Amino acid sequence: MEIGEESFQEKERRITGRHHLPGPVPDWAEDLFRVARAAFIADKYVRRSGVRDRWTRRISLAVPVTEHERWHSAAVRAHLAALLQILTGDLWDVDFRPLTGHHVEEAMVSADDPRASEVALFSGGLDSLSWAATRSRSDDPRPLLLVMFREIGLLRLQHQVYKAVERLGGRRPVMLLPMSQTPAGDGSGMRLETSSRTRGLLYAAGAIRAATAHGVGTVHIPENGQLALNPPLTPARSAACSTRSVHPWTLDRLNALVSAVSDAGSTVRVVNPLARLTKGEVCKAARDAGLTPSDLESTLSCGKPPARRSGGPPIANCGVCFPCLVRRSGLLHANGTDGTPYEALPWAADLPLGRGTDWRALQRWLLGRYTLTDLLTDTPLPPDTETTVAFDVIRRGRKELVRLLQIADAAEAADAA
């Protein structure tokens, strides 16, 4: 499969990687962004419904790169294949060919633009809002750069959440870099694959690219440790069947890939600054930074936002998927209440059977035992991981989630009365 610029929608293509930067982007970072975009498009074009187990695909991909010899090395190809397999659960064969001059889309450089001292991803979700609000109050006078990938149908919400950071009036300037993730159709007329496990890699590569132009050596991907580890609620959800975009092993493999392809002196490391916090603790940090309950409730947490569905209601959070359930528990922990306008209640008596799958799985998971062995046998942890610390994050997160069981029991008792 060959991936080109035509794979992105025309109206989006002009801002996909096309924005003013304060300095040049090294070839290796442009190549990484190009590879991530190609993997994302392949992930969308190859449907899981067409394979025997309706999940594991064999994807062959050819990507043009500037640093062909570097990317074509056995070590780099192994790092990339391992990373993509962790993310998607598929078998990848990625090949590279030299990028010819007329295909190069160079960054638009403006030396007058300020250089940031810190780069972080900003999705419009609770975790990225909490981190942005906290860092905006740093004593560092140099700007904080937030890299945001636009969500179709949710752009107004994302900008509203960003405005909440601006309203804090922190000590340092905050800049927003919007980018695109919208793929065009593949010409078949069929709906594209919905799982999009490579989306996180695309986000990270876009932030890395921006960081190199700003001379920043670290990219922060804020995700509470509870969802970064994302323990499967059932055996059927192990490994890539649950999202692994910010799992410690994923970040370790991504950093290994970056080290293998980057130039000495311009490499970038990706870290999760919230890895030791639960969702509730992240929400409390957001309140400590000066955000209001209303600010937190305006964010996007949903895995399948209703506003993204064709004909869906203009609501950001469905209320019944696992990320929404964790969101509920986090806001209850920090605020005591949760006024988010959800599409549905997970414990509602009239909820269609198929929409209550995550809630029923969560109930069983919370009522059962979860051990350190469960954590270690799902997805590997990097050798330098403090396993007891990671396990304790899950333990504290389970305590927060138990409150949802209490609310559901109270609602059931009220209905019975």
Side-chain angles (χ1 to χ4, degrees):
M1 178 181 292
E2 292 277 354
I3 301 296
E5 283 298 310
E6 65 278 2
S7 300
F8 284 83
Q9 291 185 10
E10 176 66 33
K11 65 181 180 180
E12 304 289 348
R13 193 186 315 156
R14 57 188 173 83
I15 68 161
T16 303
R18 299 290 288 169
H19 44 264
H20 286 285
L21 293 172
V25 176
D27 287 340
W28 71 263
E30 290 283 13
D31 282 341
L32 177 66
F33 188 48
R34 191 174 292 111
V35 169
R37 291 173 66 194
F40 174 71
I41 293 298
D43 191 17
K44 299 297 288 184
Y45 281 7
V46 183
R47 284 81 170 175
R48 296 190 188 276
S49 58
V51 297
R52 180 174 298 179
D53 65 358
R54 302 184 69 83
W55 186 261
T56 309
R57 304 164 296 182
R58 290 183 176 272
I59 301 177
S60 296
L61 184 63
V63 187
V65 290
T66 303
E67 300 280 348
H68 177 256
E69 291 187 6
R70 187 177 304 187
W71 282 90
H72 199 66
S73 74
V76 169
R77 287 162 62 101
H79 283 310
L80 179 60
L83 174 60
L84 291 173
Q85 185 171 0
I86 290 167
L87 286 170
T88 70
D90 301 307
L91 303 176
W92 290 77
D93 179 19
V94 184
D95 200 4
F96 303 98
R97 59 178 174 80
L99 180 70
T100 54
H102 68 281
H103 288 299
V104 175
E105 183 185 74
E106 295 181 352
M108 300 166 62
V109 177
S110 174
D112 295 331
D113 288 349
R115 288 181 179 264
S117 63
E118 185 175 343
V119 175
L121 281 178
F122 185 80
S123 65
L126 274 169
D127 297 349
S128 62
L129 171 62
S130 176
W131 181 250
T134 300
R135 298 307 299 158
S136 73
R137 303 179 73 83
S138 164
D139 291 330
D140 190 338
R142 296 169 297 173
L144 165 67
L145 177 66
L146 301 177
V147 179
M148 182 185 79
F149 277 76
R150 310 188 328 159
E151 282 278 351
I152 296 300
L154 296 164
L155 186 58
R156 180 177 298 180
L157 177 146
Q158 288 180 302
H159 279 291
Q160 178 184 342
V161 174
Y162 174 70
K163 292 294 183 183
V165 179
E166 286 191 320
R167 284 196 304 271
L168 287 177
R171 300 180 181 89
R172 70 191 303 195
V174 180
M175 303 186 299
L176 183 67
L177 174 59
M179 302 183 74
S180 169
Q181 64 167 9
T182 308
D186 62 354
S188 68
M190 297 172 57
R191 183 182 183 185
L192 298 181
E193 169 60 35
T194 59
S195 58
S196 294
R197 291 289 194 256
T198 54
R199 186 167 52 188
L201 175 60
L202 176 64
Y203 293 175
I208 289 170
R209 178 181 181 274
T212 61
H214 283 266
V216 175
T218 301
V219 165
H220 291 119
I221 303 183
E223 177 88 334
N224 69 86
Q226 194 176 344
L227 277 181
L229 291 165
N230 203 9
L233 301 182
T234 70
R237 300 186 185 196
S238 63
C241 290
S242 293
T243 303
R244 291 289 180 264
S245 59
V246 196
H247 191 280
W249 185 251
T250 303
L251 297 188
D252 181 75
R253 294 299 85 203
L254 175 57
N255 285 324
L257 175 64
V258 171
S259 295
V261 299
S262 59
D263 301 320
S266 71
T267 192
V268 175
R269 182 168 177 79
V270 179
V271 300
N272 177 8
L274 305 180
R276 294 181 174 226
L277 301 181
T278 66
K279 192 73 164 186
E281 291 161 356
V282 168
C283 290
K284 279 194 170 182
R287 294 299 311 277
D288 291 342
L291 294 169
T292 67
S294 178
D295 291 331
L296 272 59
E297 291 165 358
S298 70
T299 57
L300 167 69
S301 299
C302 192
K304 298 179 180 178
R308 194 188 291 161
R309 300 198 302 261
S310 177
I315 296 176
N317 299 284
C318 73
V320 299
C321 69
F322 184 55
C324 278
L325 297 174
V326 175
R327 169 197 176 87
R328 287 179 182 273
S329 70
L331 289 173
L332 288 170
H333 180 80
N335 298 331
T337 60
D338 178 13
T340 301
Y342 295 106
E343 183 185 22
L345 285 173
W347 44 77
D350 58 350
L351 188 71
L353 185 63
R355 300 206 64 197
T357 302
D358 285 354
W359 171 240
R360 291 190 297 274
L362 178 63
Q363 287 177 300
R364 290 192 294 270
W365 186 69
L366 290 175
L367 293 173
R369 292 180 68 245
Y370 186 79
T371 67
L372 183 59
T373 301
D374 294 319
L375 174 65
L376 297 177
T377 55
D378 174 44
T379 298
L381 293 171
D384 60 348
T385 302
E386 297 181 67
T387 55
T388 55
V389 173
F391 178 72
D392 196 52
V393 170
I394 301 299
R395 182 190 61 80
R396 300 197 310 273
R398 279 168 63 93
K399 284 188 174 181
E400 293 175 9
L401 285 163
V402 164
R403 186 165 182 182
L404 298 184
L405 299 184
Q406 298 167 350
I407 293 174
D409 289 343
E412 185 178 350
D415 289 341

